[in-house]
Amino acid sequence: MSESKTEILNQDANDGILERLFKLKQHGSNVKNELIGGITTFATMAYIIFVNPQIMAASGMDMGAVFVATCVGAAIGCILMGLFANWPVGLAPGMGLNAFFSFTVVSEMGYSWEVALGAVFISGILFVGMSFYKIRQWIIESIPESLRYSMTAGVGLFLGLIGLKTAGIVVENPATLVSLGDFTKPDAILAAIAFLIIAVLSERKVFGAVLIGILSVTMIGMGLGIVEYNGFFSAPPSLAPTFMAMDIAGALNISMISVILAFLFVNMFDTAGTLMGVAERAHLIDKKTGKIEGLSKALKADSISSVAGACVGCPPVTSYVESAAGVSAGARTGLSAIVVGLLFIAAIFLSPLAGMIPAYATSGALIYVAFVMMSSMQHIDWKDFTNGAPAAITALMMPLTFSIANGIALGFITYTVLKVATGKTKDVSISMYILTVIFVAKLVFMG
């Protein structure tokens, strides 16, 4: 048999395996489209391998280990989503939750990163339990839309403040709390340049805009002599410092309830919104029945990934809205998610590059992501004060108290009180009453 015929037969065999696993033809796709879609998704979310280690290192965690944990956690989530749910969704440690982990739970509340990781693990277990039963659906449906949207926007504001603070664009001021930083310093200028590069490229639909912005400003810093070249490739750092390091017993403390709930709710609503959006773009919704193909499996894959992420040493692993870019490029099945996962594994060997990325470069990315997340506020009914005020309080109090958990607590309490006091009790679900009591108790007895 000729060599060319052998290659054709081998290709047919491979296509057969992939067809059986991912039902490519049924979804109107092919291997080429899935590869391109997977590469596109990875390029749009690869910034997390540089941003997450820097944020998590602020909690005292080993930066090299967190870098590997980020890649491994993302790879596990992507591969699980691809094989189990057959969805074209990339997963990685969640933005916002990593900042909450380091700057609120560890820096402000004083818990060790091991205890904080234990809280992530417990929230992940609860997430899995809710995904296998209808509790998750009940909670999502019983919490008003205005608060769901405001939570996303609040996390965005929280990220934005961290980015501005890290870059030195916003600094503390004893008289006014905050004021404008010194733009004669390179960090502030380069962070602003990073944001502008990313914003312009994103608006022009340039492939991998966030990644390009981060790397461009790093190169500028190198040219100015304030970034030291360390190479690009090397053997990956050890994962040992963070692997299975969570302190679950320490997290089983009544004072950690609001922290666990914050991890759980933000992850839950962020995931729900992302999966719904991707399902619509990937044509996974049956036009006749309105049912979403494989949604239950996708929710389970996402929740299990959060537990896996905690085990290796990173914040909740969640579905990324950047997956929509891959879908636009042709991804329709889980094969693209597998591609994303394999690329995250390959990225483990880029640790010198990750260590070389300066904080001001990732700050620019944080500021950009913040503005993207804040756009969710447009969906809130501002004409009804009992909806608008709690939403605004939720979003504003996250950065102003430097705590996602406090923002959620104050927003939920305000919503329930305003609705009951104005006679709109039908808008308040049983779960909202329960959560309000929990949050009031937390603020009164635990501060």
Side-chain angles (χ1 to χ4, degrees):
M1 186 181 291
S2 67
E3 187 175 339
S4 61
K5 287 184 178 179
T6 302
E7 289 177 356
I8 291 172
L9 288 174
N10 288 337
Q11 182 63 45
D12 288 343
N14 291 333
D15 287 347
I17 294 171
L18 295 176
E19 180 61 41
R20 287 195 298 274
L21 282 174
F22 303 107
K23 300 180 176 63
L24 300 174
K25 292 179 182 177
Q26 180 181 319
H27 290 89
S29 186
N30 54 52
V31 174
K32 180 183 176 182
N33 286 346
E34 297 301 311
L35 287 173
I36 293 173
I39 293 169
T40 302
T41 296
F42 176 77
T44 58
M45 61 186 289
Y47 65 87
I48 192 66
I49 65 178
F50 304 122
V51 177
N52 191 57
Q54 287 193 0
I55 292 177
M56 297 294 282
S59 69
M61 297 179 75
D62 181 89
M63 190 168 178
V66 174
F67 168 77
V68 177
T70 301
C71 295
V72 171
I76 292 172
C78 292
I79 293 171
L80 184 60
M81 180 65 76
L83 289 177
F84 180 65
N86 196 24
W87 271 44
V89 174
L91 295 90
M95 288 294 294
L97 292 176
N98 49 8
F100 175 59
F101 181 106
S102 291
F103 298 108
T104 299
V105 183
V106 177
S107 298
E108 293 294 318
M109 299 177 71
Y111 291 102
S112 68
W113 63 263
E114 291 90 347
V115 170
L117 210 55
V120 172
F121 180 83
I122 294 170
S123 72
I125 293 295
L126 292 173
F127 202 20
V128 172
M130 290 178 177
S131 298
F132 275 83
Y133 296 97
K134 292 188 176 180
I135 302 174
R136 181 176 181 174
Q137 182 179 344
W138 174 68
I139 289 179
I140 289 176
E141 291 177 349
S142 61
I143 292 178
E145 283 190 352
S146 59
L147 291 181
R148 292 184 232 165
Y149 289 128
S150 65
M151 285 165 65
T152 301
V155 170
L157 286 169
F158 185 63
L159 277 179
L161 179 59
I162 289 168
L164 293 167
K165 179 175 178 288
T166 303
I169 295 175
V170 169
V171 296
E172 61 180 322
N173 186 311
T176 61
L177 292 182
V178 294
S179 60
L180 187 66
D182 185 359
F183 269 90
T184 63
K185 294 181 179 179
D187 285 20
I189 296 173
L190 290 172
I193 290 173
F195 163 72
L196 292 172
I197 290 173
I198 294 168
V200 170
L201 294 180
S202 296
E203 190 64 21
R204 289 182 170 272
K205 312 297 182 188
V206 174
F207 182 73
V210 178
L211 193 58
I212 291 172
I214 291 173
L215 295 178
S216 296
V217 170
T218 300
M219 295 296 288
I220 293 172
M222 202 179 300
L224 295 174
I226 55 177
V227 173
E228 185 179 348
Y229 176 73
N230 297 324
F232 290 96
F233 304 100
S234 75
S238 173
L239 184 61
T242 60
F243 182 71
M244 298 299 290
M246 59 272 192
D247 182 357
I248 299 171
L252 290 172
N253 187 304
I254 191 169
S255 63
M256 291 293 284
I257 290 177
S258 63
V259 172
I260 293 170
L261 289 178
F263 279 129
L264 179 64
F265 287 155
V266 174
N267 193 9
M268 183 188 302
F269 296 129
D270 187 45
T271 296
T274 297
L275 292 181
M276 296 297 181
V278 173
E280 185 176 353
R281 296 192 188 193
H283 308 299
L284 295 172
I285 303 177
D286 190 308
K287 293 182 180 179
K288 293 181 180 179
T289 64
K291 293 185 67 175
I292 301 176
E293 178 188 336
L295 177 61
S296 176
K297 287 186 175 182
L299 292 171
K300 291 171 184 174
D302 185 279
S303 58
I304 293 171
S305 299
S306 291
V307 177
C311 291
V312 296
C314 58
V317 173
T318 186
S319 300
Y320 265 55
V321 71
E322 284 84 352
S323 303
V327 171
S328 298
R332 292 292 182 274
T333 74
L335 179 56
S336 66
I338 302 293
V339 172
V340 178
L342 294 176
L343 289 171
F344 269 114
I345 292 174
I348 290 174
F349 298 94
L350 292 174
S351 60
L353 176 60
M356 203 163 59
I357 302 292
Y360 52 76
T362 55
S363 293
L366 287 180
I367 297 167
Y368 169 75
V369 171
F371 285 122
V372 173
M373 295 178 73
M374 285 171 61
S375 66
S376 65
M377 295 291 275
Q378 66 184 303
H379 302 296
I380 294 169
D381 178 14
W382 294 104
K383 294 179 182 179
D384 185 341
F385 189 80
T386 61
N387 286 330
I393 288 171
T394 301
L396 288 172
M397 294 308 286
M398 286 187 190
L400 293 179
T401 63
F402 218 66
S403 169
I404 291 174
N406 286 338
I408 293 173
L410 293 169
F412 278 45
I413 292 169
T414 304
Y415 181 90
T416 302
V417 171
L418 286 180
K419 289 293 185 181
V420 171
T422 56
K424 299 179 179 179
T425 54
K426 66 179 187 301
D427 293 342
V428 186
S429 63
I430 295 174
S431 62
M432 280 297 295
Y433 282 117
I434 295 171
L435 290 171
T436 298
V437 171
I438 291 173
F439 287 136
V440 168
K442 186 265 178 188
L443 292 175
V444 171
F445 298 110
M446 289 169 278

